[in-house]
Amino acid sequence: MKRILAILLPFAFLFSIVGCNLQGNDDEGQLESKIDSIQNQLSREYVPGTGEIMNNIVQPHHLKLWLAGQNKNWQLAEYERKQLLGGFKRIQIFHKDKPEATAVVMIFPAMDAMEKAIRAKNADAFKSSFAVLTNTCNTCHESLKTDFNVITVPSLTNKENQLF
């Protein structure tokens, strides 16, 4: 809720400024100055780092996707696939000028294969696509020189998806 307010408050402020300007209370220069001030405030807003996105969105949903597929809960698997995809897209949005945003595109074909396996409710295709997805994660890490971060396919006895 606080994050939503932090995002919406500057826009409410902007609309109040525009409203005042339309009533003739501010001249154009003052309005531009206030808009610049708001843009500066927005540019200082919190942006999650790629590590935070990976640890808090990608890795948990990678694990949950696997668990859902192993249990043939295809509706949950599709939900987790979308959540996982959202993490990758956030990297492109928040870090568009960084190598991570360029490298993350390699995951999309694997995500498409996951979607097809889930849609077909095909456990064998799911297992194969999940292995490709996981290998692609590691290929991305290698390309970014973070290959010390190894993602694994969880086992039924060990519900971890990272090699420590």
Side-chain angles (χ1 to χ4, degrees), residues 138-154:
N138 291 318
T139 300
C140 187
H141 293 170
E142 288 171 15
S143 75
L144 295 168
K145 308 287 190 256
T146 59
D147 53 345
F148 53 84
N149 190 351
V150 180
I151 303 304
T152 62
V153 175

Side-chain angles (χ1 to χ4, degrees), residues 103-132:
V104 80
V105 299
M106 71 176 68
I107 204 76
F108 296 134
M111 293 298 293
D112 291 344
M114 286 297 317
E115 181 180 18
K116 289 176 187 171
I118 292 167
R119 225 186 260 156
K121 298 179 181 178
N122 183 327
D124 291 332
F126 178 89
K127 185 177 179 180
S128 174
S129 297
F130 194 86
V132 170

Side-chain angles (χ1 to χ4, degrees), residues 9 12 23 44 71 82 104-105:
L9 193 58
Q23 295 173 3
R44 290 190 305 267
N71 289 288
K82 286 179 181 177
V104 80
V105 299

Side-chain angles (χ1 to χ4, degrees), residues 18-141:
V18 171
C20 289
N21 190 51
L22 293 175
Q23 295 173 3
N25 293 342
D26 285 338
D27 68 358
E28 191 173 319
Q30 288 176 328
L31 179 60
E32 287 177 13
S33 175
K34 289 178 183 179
I35 290 172
D36 289 342
S37 174
I38 291 170
Q39 286 175 334
N40 287 334
Q41 287 176 346
L42 287 174
S43 69
R44 290 190 305 267
E45 287 297 316
Y46 170 75
V47 173
T50 55
E52 290 174 281
I53 294 169
M54 287 293 175
N55 287 324
N56 297 318
I57 298 173
V58 172
Q59 191 171 0
H61 291 293
H62 174 267
L63 175 61
K64 289 179 173 188
L65 173 60
W66 179 83
L67 291 168
Q70 291 305 298
N71 289 288
K72 297 182 177 88
N73 184 340
W74 302 117
Q75 190 174 6
L76 178 58
E78 177 57 13
Y79 172 81
E80 294 300 338
R81 186 196 68 80
K82 286 179 181 177
Q83 296 302 305
L84 180 59
L85 185 61
F88 295 128
K89 289 184 177 181
R90 280 178 177 84
I91 290 170
Q92 289 184 302
I93 292 167
F94 294 128
H95 302 285
K96 59 183 165 236
D97 298 329
K98 295 183 180 175
E100 292 88 337
T102 303
V104 80
V105 299
M106 71 176 68
I107 204 76
F108 296 134
M111 293 298 293
D112 291 344
M114 286 297 317
E115 181 180 18
K116 289 176 187 171
I118 292 167
R119 225 186 260 156
K121 298 179 181 178
N122 183 327
D124 291 332
F126 178 89
K127 185 177 179 180
S128 174
S129 297
F130 194 86
V132 170
L133 172 68
T134 303
N135 288 335
T136 306
C137 290
N138 291 318
T139 300
C140 187
H141 293 170

